Amino acid sequence: MSLFGDGLDAAVQKAFTRPAPKSAPAQMRYLVKQLKGTKAVAQMLRISQRTVERYVKDQIKKPRPDLAARLEREVKKRWQPQIRARARQQAATTGGIVIDTRARLGYVAPIGTTDEDRIRHLTVALPPQYAARLFAAQEAGAGDQQLQQIAADALREVYFQDGGRRAGSLEEVHFTDIEHLEFEL
């Protein structure tokens, strides 16, 4: 489970204009239509092709919990791609992204400053360039560590340095022990 990747996906999913299919047969029909065949869906979900066909015909209605989770994840990953792209584009160019987190934050600064890490609850609006960096890194397959570093850089500039108005000699922000993380477009 990727904390940052899942958080970014959840923020984009809030922009959906229609709900994704809820029932397993409807989800299976959607995936069959998207992947153009039952064989591809069966391979993706690691089940037999016959099982996929039975879901499509409403012969099976209730999947096992692990299959239900995989099915829902795959449907949401493919649901409304144009809406998803438009929401990401708007956040990356004009809107920015809001990060709401409760985590241990501290920084590296010159001697004589109070740079001790401590738990903080922050809700900060990040400028569009950081939203663009987060989404670009996520699409490039970046892991949670890289996404966390981008978020730490954004918090350094926006929260600690206030866009260059204070703490100019701040070198690095520590963003660890994340208890809560949520993104909003």
Side-chain angles (χ1 to χ4, degrees), residues 20-21 27 30-31 71-79:
Q27 290 174 334
Y30 175 75
L31 286 176
L71 189 58
E72 185 173 348
R73 186 177 53 248
E74 293 299 330
V75 167
K76 284 192 174 180
K77 191 189 305 182
R78 290 167 174 75
W79 188 249

Side-chain angles (χ1 to χ4, degrees), residues 14-181:
K14 290 176 186 174
F16 287 166
T17 57
R18 291 185 333 235
K22 297 275 189 248
S23 72
Q27 290 174 334
M28 202 64 79
R29 284 190 290 272
Y30 175 75
L31 286 176
V32 168
K33 185 176 179 184
Q34 289 295 308
L35 298 177
K36 297 177 178 44
T38 56
K39 187 173 186 177
V41 174
Q43 289 174 345
M44 178 186 63
L45 295 174
R46 299 186 305 273
I47 56 177
S48 72
Q49 185 175 358
R50 179 69 187 128
T51 303
V52 172
E53 292 166 358
R54 291 173 61 203
Y55 274 107
V56 168
K57 292 179 182 176
D58 276 335
Q59 293 173 345
I60 306 177
K61 296 183 189 288
K62 187 89 169 119
R64 318 183 294 276
D66 62 321
L67 176 60
R70 286 195 311 260
L71 189 58
E72 185 173 348
R73 186 177 53 248
E74 293 299 330
V75 167
K76 284 192 174 180
K77 191 189 305 182
R78 290 167 174 75
W79 188 249
Q80 293 190 328
Q82 286 121 353
I83 302 287
R84 181 186 310 269
R86 190 178 319 129
R88 286 175 177 236
Q89 181 66 28
Q90 183 177 0
T93 55
T94 57
I97 193 166
V98 175
I99 183 172
D100 178 40
T101 186
R102 180 170 165 76
R104 183 170 301 280
L105 289 156
Y107 49 88
V108 175
I111 297 173
T113 59
T114 58
D115 61 352
E116 191 67 31
D117 291 2
R118 66 178 187 261
I119 297 287
R120 302 173 197 240
H121 181 235
L122 300 177
T123 303
V124 179
L126 303 179
Q129 68 262 24
Y130 286 106
R133 283 182 59 196
L134 282 167
F135 287 132
Q138 183 189 27
E139 286 183 25
D144 251 13
Q145 288 296 98
Q146 293 168 302
L147 295 172
Q148 185 172 345
Q149 186 57 48
I150 293 169
D153 292 344
L155 289 173
R156 182 188 72 214
E157 183 185 318
V158 176
Y159 178 74
F160 289 108
Q161 292 181 327
D162 195 20
R165 288 190 279 280
R166 60 184 172 158
S169 59
L170 195 65
E171 297 167 13
E172 179 183 334
V173 170
H174 301 287
F175 184 30
T176 57
D177 299 340
I178 300 167
E179 296 174 7
H180 166 76
L181 179 72

